[in-house]
Short mmCIF file of all heavy atoms in Angstrom, two decimals:
data_model
loop_
_atom_site.label_atom_id
_atom_site.label_comp_id
_atom_site.label_asym_id
_atom_site.label_seq_id
_atom_site.Cartn_x
_atom_site.Cartn_y
_atom_site.Cartn_z
N GLU A 57 58.35 44.63 130.25
CA GLU A 57 57.07 44.86 129.56
C GLU A 57 56.78 46.36 129.64
O GLU A 57 56.60 46.91 130.73
CB GLU A 57 55.96 44.06 130.25
CG GLU A 57 54.61 44.17 129.56
CD GLU A 57 53.54 43.37 130.28
OE1 GLU A 57 53.88 42.45 131.05
OE2 GLU A 57 52.35 43.68 130.07
N VAL A 58 56.74 47.03 128.50
CA VAL A 58 56.73 48.49 128.47
C VAL A 58 55.49 49.01 127.77
O VAL A 58 55.09 48.51 126.71
CB VAL A 58 57.99 49.04 127.75
CG1 VAL A 58 57.99 50.55 127.75
CG2 VAL A 58 59.26 48.51 128.44
N GLU A 59 54.91 50.05 128.37
CA GLU A 59 53.81 50.79 127.76
C GLU A 59 54.24 52.25 127.63
O GLU A 59 54.90 52.78 128.53
CB GLU A 59 52.55 50.68 128.62
CG GLU A 59 51.32 51.30 128.00
CD GLU A 59 50.05 50.99 128.79
OE1 GLU A 59 50.09 50.13 129.68
OE2 GLU A 59 49.02 51.64 128.50
N ALA A 60 53.88 52.88 126.53
CA ALA A 60 54.29 54.26 126.28
C ALA A 60 53.07 55.12 125.98
O ALA A 60 52.22 54.75 125.17
CB ALA A 60 55.26 54.33 125.11
N LEU A 61 53.00 56.26 126.66
CA LEU A 61 51.88 57.19 126.49
C LEU A 61 52.41 58.51 125.92
O LEU A 61 53.45 59.01 126.35
CB LEU A 61 51.21 57.42 127.85
CG LEU A 61 50.04 58.40 127.95
CD1 LEU A 61 49.12 57.97 129.10
CD2 LEU A 61 50.50 59.84 128.19
N ASP A 62 51.69 59.06 124.95
CA ASP A 62 52.07 60.36 124.42
C ASP A 62 50.89 61.03 123.76
O ASP A 62 49.96 60.37 123.28
CB ASP A 62 53.23 60.24 123.42
CG ASP A 62 53.98 61.57 123.27
OD1 ASP A 62 54.91 61.79 124.06
OD2 ASP A 62 53.62 62.37 122.39
N ILE A 63 50.95 62.37 123.70
CA ILE A 63 49.90 63.16 123.08
C ILE A 63 49.99 63.12 121.56
O ILE A 63 49.02 63.38 120.85
CB ILE A 63 49.97 64.62 123.59
CG1 ILE A 63 48.73 65.41 123.15
CG2 ILE A 63 51.24 65.30 123.10
CD1 ILE A 63 48.68 66.81 123.74
N SER A 64 51.18 62.81 121.03
CA SER A 64 51.44 62.89 119.59
C SER A 64 51.32 61.52 118.92
O SER A 64 52.10 60.62 119.18
CB SER A 64 52.83 63.46 119.32
OG SER A 64 53.18 63.32 117.96
N ASP A 65 50.34 61.37 118.03
CA ASP A 65 50.22 60.13 117.28
C ASP A 65 51.36 59.97 116.28
O ASP A 65 51.75 58.86 115.95
CB ASP A 65 48.85 60.04 116.59
CG ASP A 65 48.56 61.22 115.68
OD1 ASP A 65 48.96 62.35 116.01
OD2 ASP A 65 47.92 61.02 114.63
N VAL A 66 51.92 61.09 115.81
CA VAL A 66 53.07 61.04 114.91
C VAL A 66 54.27 60.43 115.62
O VAL A 66 54.96 59.56 115.09
CB VAL A 66 53.41 62.44 114.36
CG1 VAL A 66 54.74 62.43 113.59
CG2 VAL A 66 52.29 62.95 113.47
N ALA A 67 54.52 60.89 116.85
CA ALA A 67 55.64 60.35 117.63
C ALA A 67 55.44 58.86 117.91
O ALA A 67 56.38 58.06 117.80
CB ALA A 67 55.79 61.11 118.94
N LEU A 68 54.22 58.48 118.26
CA LEU A 68 53.96 57.07 118.58
C LEU A 68 54.10 56.17 117.35
O LEU A 68 54.52 55.02 117.46
CB LEU A 68 52.58 56.92 119.21
CG LEU A 68 52.41 57.53 120.61
CD1 LEU A 68 50.98 57.42 121.07
CD2 LEU A 68 53.35 56.86 121.60
N MET A 69 53.77 56.70 116.18
CA MET A 69 53.95 55.95 114.95
C MET A 69 55.45 55.70 114.70
O MET A 69 55.85 54.60 114.33
CB MET A 69 53.35 56.72 113.77
CG MET A 69 53.45 56.00 112.43
SD MET A 69 52.61 56.90 111.11
CE MET A 69 53.60 58.42 111.08
N LYS A 70 56.27 56.72 114.97
CA LYS A 70 57.72 56.56 114.84
C LYS A 70 58.25 55.56 115.87
O LYS A 70 59.12 54.74 115.58
CB LYS A 70 58.42 57.92 114.99
CG LYS A 70 58.14 58.87 113.85
CD LYS A 70 58.62 60.28 114.13
CE LYS A 70 60.12 60.42 113.99
NZ LYS A 70 60.55 61.83 114.15
N LEU A 71 57.68 55.61 117.07
CA LEU A 71 58.07 54.67 118.12
C LEU A 71 57.79 53.24 117.69
O LEU A 71 58.65 52.36 117.80
CB LEU A 71 57.30 55.01 119.40
CG LEU A 71 57.56 54.18 120.67
CD1 LEU A 71 57.11 54.95 121.90
CD2 LEU A 71 56.85 52.84 120.64
N ARG A 72 56.58 53.00 117.19
CA ARG A 72 56.20 51.63 116.81
C ARG A 72 57.08 51.12 115.66
O ARG A 72 57.47 49.95 115.64
CB ARG A 72 54.72 51.59 116.42
CG ARG A 72 53.76 51.71 117.61
CD ARG A 72 52.34 51.40 117.22
NE ARG A 72 51.78 52.41 116.33
CZ ARG A 72 51.13 53.49 116.74
NH1 ARG A 72 50.96 53.71 118.03
NH2 ARG A 72 50.64 54.35 115.87
N ARG A 73 57.39 52.02 114.73
CA ARG A 73 58.23 51.61 113.59
C ARG A 73 59.63 51.22 114.07
O ARG A 73 60.17 50.19 113.66
CB ARG A 73 58.31 52.77 112.59
CG ARG A 73 59.01 52.38 111.28
CD ARG A 73 59.18 53.59 110.36
NE ARG A 73 57.92 54.26 110.11
CZ ARG A 73 57.70 55.56 110.31
NH1 ARG A 73 58.66 56.33 110.79
NH2 ARG A 73 56.53 56.09 110.05
N ARG A 74 60.20 52.03 114.95
CA ARG A 74 61.55 51.73 115.42
C ARG A 74 61.56 50.50 116.34
O ARG A 74 62.50 49.71 116.31
CB ARG A 74 62.15 52.93 116.16
CG ARG A 74 63.57 52.67 116.60
CD ARG A 74 64.35 53.89 116.97
NE ARG A 74 65.61 53.47 117.55
CZ ARG A 74 65.92 53.58 118.85
NH1 ARG A 74 65.08 54.16 119.68
NH2 ARG A 74 67.07 53.14 119.29
N ALA A 75 60.50 50.34 117.14
CA ALA A 75 60.41 49.16 118.00
C ALA A 75 60.41 47.88 117.15
O ALA A 75 61.06 46.89 117.50
CB ALA A 75 59.15 49.24 118.86
N LYS A 76 59.69 47.94 116.04
CA LYS A 76 59.66 46.77 115.14
C LYS A 76 61.04 46.49 114.58
O LYS A 76 61.47 45.34 114.50
CB LYS A 76 58.66 47.05 114.01
CG LYS A 76 58.40 45.85 113.12
CD LYS A 76 57.32 46.17 112.08
CE LYS A 76 57.04 44.97 111.19
NZ LYS A 76 55.99 45.28 110.18
#
Side-chain angles (χ1 to χ4, degrees):
E57 183 180 340
V58 181
E59 186 171 349
L61 177 152
D62 202 87
I63 190 175
S64 170
D65 56 324
V66 171
L68 291 175
M69 182 176 63
K70 292 170 76 174
L71 181 160
R72 288 191 291 270
R73 188 185 305 127
R74 183 163 172 252
K76 188 176 181 180

